[in-house]
């Protein structure tokens, strides 16, 4: 029986450089049976043990509809992520989880889905995008809005280019600044991601919204969504806090009476507005 509190050994099978300091790692369990059995929901995270460095919480960026490998996208920001970035295919790490709640994929069934990603926030939302597309008949219209600093910072470039060509999802991409030829080829739209929200052609009362990006943007995205008629109760955001245990024991991730690791990381917009220090 798989024990979610015990790290399982995983091997790196692929490493993709997505953008400066951002790599996507693919893992398989050494225990073959787990590769079929292990599952998660979009928005959940794992605790990854980086040898000789420690554990880090990382969102799962692959979809549970595509079994066999677990994919994590990691930005190099400090010691543990630096050690991880120096690792090679074939190296062995520990992984426990999945932990936390997920985007409400069951509630979203039968409704429109609007996905709003900023920067590295595309990682957990990539899991949701593929989940919804792989179960496309269960959802109405699907929109993806994605904003980054510039083209260089865009994650999953080829994948997102291909998504734009599909007719079962509508994708709007924006850059803070459109300067280089690469920027222009990616999108002509320049500005903040909030400026894309009025362009979305959906019935707001019949739409669930999933948001992940820099927490500073949440207030503005939330306000723009409400202004455009979206319902606070149907908007869900992903939050990050420093974590140690990942299972509600250590209190490191506590905000008010909520533990981000078990009550989150996905919270309704209402919580983030009404509970102190959420964002
Ligand atoms: C639920 C969850 C999901 C996450 N998903 C991802 C992901 O998909 N990809 C990814 O690259 N990172 C993700 N992170 C953040 C990642 O865990 C940290 O960047 C990592 O632990 C940093 O470790 P480090 O030793 O390299 O850097 P540290 O030396 O520990 O930190 C470097 C800098 O990053 C800041 N920092 C570290 N952890 C956090 C945090 N949790 N929230 C805000 N600031 C932090 C520190 O204050 C410091 O300024 C996630 C965090 C959480 C809680
Ligand atoms: S990380 Fe320990 S309680 Fe949340």
């Amino acid at each position: 029986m798989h024990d979610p509190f015990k790290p399982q050994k995983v091997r790196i099978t692929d490493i993709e450089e997505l953008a400066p300091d951002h790599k996507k790692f693919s893992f398989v369990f050494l225990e073959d049976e787990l590769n079929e059995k292990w599952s998660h929901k979009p928005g959940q995270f794992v605790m990854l043990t980086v040898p000789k460095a420690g554990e880090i919480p990382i969102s799962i960026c692959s979809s549970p509809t595509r079994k066999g490998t677990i994919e994590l996208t990691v930005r190099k920001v400090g010691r543990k992520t630096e050690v991880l970035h120096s690792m090679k295919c074939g190296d062995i790490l520990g992984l426990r989880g999945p932990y936390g709640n997920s985007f409400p994929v069951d509630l979203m069934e039968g409704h429109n889905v609007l996905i709003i990603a900023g920067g590295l926030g595309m990682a957990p939302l990539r899991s949701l995008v593929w989940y919804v597309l792989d179960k496309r008949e269960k959802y109405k219209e699907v929109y993806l809005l994605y904003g980054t600093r510039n083209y260089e910072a865009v994650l999953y470039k080829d994948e997102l280019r291909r998504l734009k060509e599909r007719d079962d999802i509508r994708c709007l991409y924006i850059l803070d600044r459109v300067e280089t030829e690469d920027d222009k080829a990616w999108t002509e739209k320049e500005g903040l991601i909030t400026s894309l929200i009025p362009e979305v052609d959906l019935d707001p009362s019949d739409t669930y919204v999933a948001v992940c990006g820099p927490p500073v943007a949440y207030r503005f995205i939330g306000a723009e969504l409400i202004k455009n008629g979206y319902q606070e109760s149907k908007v869900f955001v992903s939050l990050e806090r420093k974590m140690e245990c990942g299972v509600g024991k250590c209190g490191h991730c506590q905000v008010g009476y909520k533990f981000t690791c078990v009550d989150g990381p996905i919270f309704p917009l209402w919580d983030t507005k009404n509970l102190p220090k959420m964002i």
Side-chain angles (χ1 to χ4, degrees):
M1 178 74 186
H2 160 225
D3 175 358
F5 301 116
K6 187 177 149 215
Q8 301 290 333
K9 284 187 180 164
V10 289
R11 176 186 294 115
I12 302 176
T13 55
D14 188 54
I15 302 173
E16 199 182 327
E17 190 121 22
L18 300 176
D21 291 335
H22 290 70
K23 287 184 179 178
K24 176 165 75 66
F25 296 86
S26 304
F27 300 93
V28 293
F29 290 103
L30 298 200
E31 194 180 317
D32 211 17
E33 213 180 303
L34 280 177
N35 291 312
E36 259 316 298
K37 278 194 180 156
W38 200 89
S39 195
H40 71 282
K41 284 198 155 181
Q44 286 192 295
F45 66 96
V46 294
M47 296 297 290
L48 187 70
T49 313
V50 183
K52 298 189 182 135
E55 274 196 314
I56 47 173
I58 300 290
S59 303
I60 304 158
C61 71
S62 46
S63 168
T65 48
R66 297 168 181 219
K67 285 201 178 299
T69 55
I70 298 169
E71 293 175 340
L72 308 177
T73 297
V74 181
R75 171 161 55 203
K76 187 167 67 173
V77 293
R79 185 173 134 62
K80 286 173 267 187
T81 47
E82 196 174 326
V83 174
L84 177 60
H85 268 240
S86 71
M87 296 184 79
K88 306 270 178 290
C89 283
D91 286 348
I92 310 284
L93 298 87
L95 183 149
R96 60 186 175 93
Y99 295 135
N101 64 357
S102 67
F103 289 108
V105 286
D106 298 334
L107 284 178
M108 288 170 168
E109 284 186 13
H111 302 279
N112 302 314
V113 179
L114 168 58
I115 298 168
I116 304 180
L120 181 57
M122 191 61 225
L125 289 174
R126 175 179 181 256
S127 178
L128 179 64
V129 167
W130 285 113
Y131 183 93
V132 168
L133 290 179
D134 288 344
K135 294 175 180 274
R136 191 63 192 83
E137 70 290 350
K138 290 185 186 281
Y139 302 93
K140 287 188 177 170
E141 297 297 314
V142 182
Y143 256 95
L144 169 64
L145 314 185
Y146 181 38
T148 54
R149 220 173 37 253
N150 51 27
Y151 174 73
E152 199 182 30
V154 171
L155 305 178
Y156 322 114
K157 292 180 176 71
D158 291 341
E159 205 172 293
L160 293 186
R161 230 179 248 118
R162 286 197 297 273
L163 278 187
K164 213 169 179 181
E165 286 161 13
R166 289 175 65 138
D167 56 13
D168 55 355
I169 178 168
R170 281 184 276 174
C171 301
L172 301 177
Y173 304 146
I174 194 162
L175 301 175
D176 289 355
R177 289 273 184 87
V178 176
E179 287 173 339
T180 66
E181 288 309 310
D182 282 345
D183 294 342
K184 286 177 196 154
W186 177 249
T187 181
E188 289 298 324
K189 291 180 193 298
E190 183 180 68
L192 298 176
I193 195 153
T194 42
S195 65
L196 294 179
I197 293 171
E199 291 187 32
V200 174
D201 174 25
L202 292 175
D203 170 6
S205 67
D206 191 22
T207 302
Y208 277 85
V209 188
V211 186
C212 189
V216 287
Y218 287 169
R219 267 182 222 291
F220 304 105
I221 293 173
E224 190 63 29
L225 285 167
I226 302 303
K227 193 173 129 196
N228 282 270
Y230 294 89
Q231 297 172 355
E232 211 165 72
S233 59
K234 290 184 181 161
V235 178
F236 292 82
V237 305
S238 179
L239 288 186
E240 277 187 20
R241 281 290 181 281
K242 294 233 168 169
M243 289 185 185
E244 283 287 332
C245 68
V247 292
K249 302 281 183 215
C250 71
H252 267 82
C253 68
Q254 195 169 357
V255 195
Y257 62 90
K258 302 260 182 188
F259 283 3
T260 314
C261 64
V262 286
D263 300 315
I266 313 301
F267 291 94
L269 184 64
W270 189 92
D271 278 4
T272 66
K273 286 173 73 176
N274 293 289
L275 300 177
K277 297 190 181 158
M278 270 284 205
I279 50 175

